[in-house]
Amino acid sequence: MQRHEINPHQVTFPRAIQPYIVNSRIFDSSSSPQARVYYADHSPDRSYFIKTAAAQSLCREAAWTTYFHARNLAPDVLYYGTIGGRDWLVTARIPGEDCTSPQYMADPDRLVPLLAHRLRALHETDYSNCPETTRMERYVQTVQHGYRNGRCDRALYTTWYGEATDDEIYRIARDGWPRLRADVLLHGDYCLPNVILDDWKFSGFVDLDCAGIGDRHVDVYWALWTLQFNLHTNDYRSLFIREYGADLVDEEMLRIVAAMEVFG
């Protein structure tokens, strides 16, 4: 995760956030135009991530991070609220760095099995009393909305499955989404920057706004995508699937998910 130190006076932090930034160095670690993320480095045992975005846009992330934290899978949510028309979310920093750190990227033969085993463990986690159970319904609605409004990223499908038109890809998604299951706890965006390791020991997940109860192939798809994107090779696809459990992975479902993600 990249962090660029900034002058704290460059940002108008509301009063509720002040306790988390006082006497701290402030860094901008944003990676998305939809949200700003700041890192408040107070001391080794008192550091925080502060995220702000449009009102109500962080409520799911706050709820699911709290849920994952209760299962020792994510940082603690210290504050969530809407102030001045914007959401503010403060989480404690957990030990370690994300999987794009040079330490981990330099050893993919060790990293890939670890990511596969960690995902399998997540998918075997009890998801009783979860915040909501409509993740797959919303997933389908997002795909329908994206297609109707011409929002697509065709490369999410064509990189692996060859050239196709938007209409052809949408038909694959539409014909396939009735096969989606809702039987595992998903991260929803299982990519290297969202998995934190502390010297190769799992520390926690971050960016859980896409979490929910859904089909394991959503997470498996994004795991395979991030390995190709971040490692610049598709050579680790088979290793990941084998270590995760090849008997649980349906290649046709991966193709369906790829088609859906084009419009997601």
Side-chain angles (χ1 to χ4, degrees):
M1 178 182 294
Q2 296 185 354
R3 298 172 189 159
H4 307 287
E5 188 166 8
I6 63 172
N7 185 328
H9 300 294
Q10 290 179 231
V11 183
T12 303
F13 290 103
R15 182 175 300 177
I17 305 301
Q18 293 297 322
Y20 304 104
I21 65 170
V22 65
N23 299 324
S24 298
R25 298 170 65 195
I26 306 298
F27 298 80
D28 189 329
S29 62
S30 306
S31 60
S32 166
Q34 284 76 42
R36 305 304 301 177
V37 179
Y38 302 100
Y39 175 61
D41 187 7
H42 183 276
S43 64
D45 59 343
R46 286 182 58 200
S47 298
Y48 314 100
F49 283 99
I50 302 164
K51 190 170 188 177
T52 182
Q56 299 304 308
S57 63
L58 300 180
C59 58
R60 293 195 74 259
E61 182 171 357
W64 279 106
T65 303
T66 298
Y67 183 81
F68 272 59
H69 174 72
R71 286 149 180 77
N72 298 313
L73 296 172
D76 194 9
V77 173
L78 304 176
Y79 177 84
Y80 168 69
T82 303
I83 306 171
R86 292 189 65 81
D87 272 12
W88 291 85
L89 173 66
V90 180
T91 56
R93 179 186 183 274
I94 53 178
E97 298 292 339
D98 70 60
C99 290
T100 63
S101 169
Q103 176 185 7
Y104 308 123
M105 294 285 285
D107 194 353
D109 289 319
R110 183 178 182 184
L111 178 62
V112 172
L114 187 156
L115 289 170
H117 299 160
R118 175 44 54 186
L119 184 60
R120 175 73 177 267
L122 173 63
H123 289 169
E124 292 177 348
T125 300
D126 174 27
Y127 55 80
S128 57
N129 302 314
C130 65
E132 54 90 19
T133 59
T134 59
R135 175 70 171 84
M136 290 296 94
E137 288 89 339
R138 290 188 298 102
Y139 188 45
V140 170
Q141 290 168 3
T142 298
V143 173
Q144 293 171 322
H145 184 267
Y147 176 71
R148 286 196 301 267
N149 289 277
R151 184 184 70 242
C152 69
D153 184 353
R154 201 179 304 160
L156 294 173
Y157 178 88
T158 59
T159 297
W160 287 334
Y161 300 106
E163 290 302 315
T165 66
D166 292 352
D167 289 342
E168 289 169 339
I169 295 172
Y170 183 72
R171 280 197 295 272
I172 293 168
R174 182 194 61 203
D175 294 345
W177 68 51
R179 295 181 56 188
L180 291 171
R181 303 178 66 174
D183 57 357
V184 301
L185 180 60
L186 293 179
H187 181 288
D189 188 13
Y190 193 74
C191 297
L192 282 126
N194 295 336
V195 182
I196 310 300
L197 302 179
D198 185 17
D199 194 21
W200 293 101
K201 180 181 178 182
F202 175 72
S203 193
F205 299 119
V206 296
D207 288 346
L208 290 158
D209 55 304
C210 294
I213 310 306
D215 193 299
R216 70 178 70 243
H217 293 88
V218 175
D219 277 345
V220 173
Y221 169 83
W222 282 112
L224 298 174
W225 179 90
T226 195
L227 292 176
Q228 182 176 46
F229 179 82
N230 292 106
L231 298 176
H232 309 292
T233 177
N234 201 33
D235 291 348
Y236 292 94
R237 179 187 178 95
S238 296
L239 175 61
F240 182 92
I241 291 175
R242 183 169 67 250
E243 293 291 333
Y244 174 85
D247 58 312
L248 296 173
V249 178
D250 182 335
E251 288 288 350
E252 181 59 22
M253 284 305 302
L254 288 178
R255 184 169 177 261
I256 290 166
V257 169
M260 295 184 72
E261 291 294 345
V262 166
F263 307 100

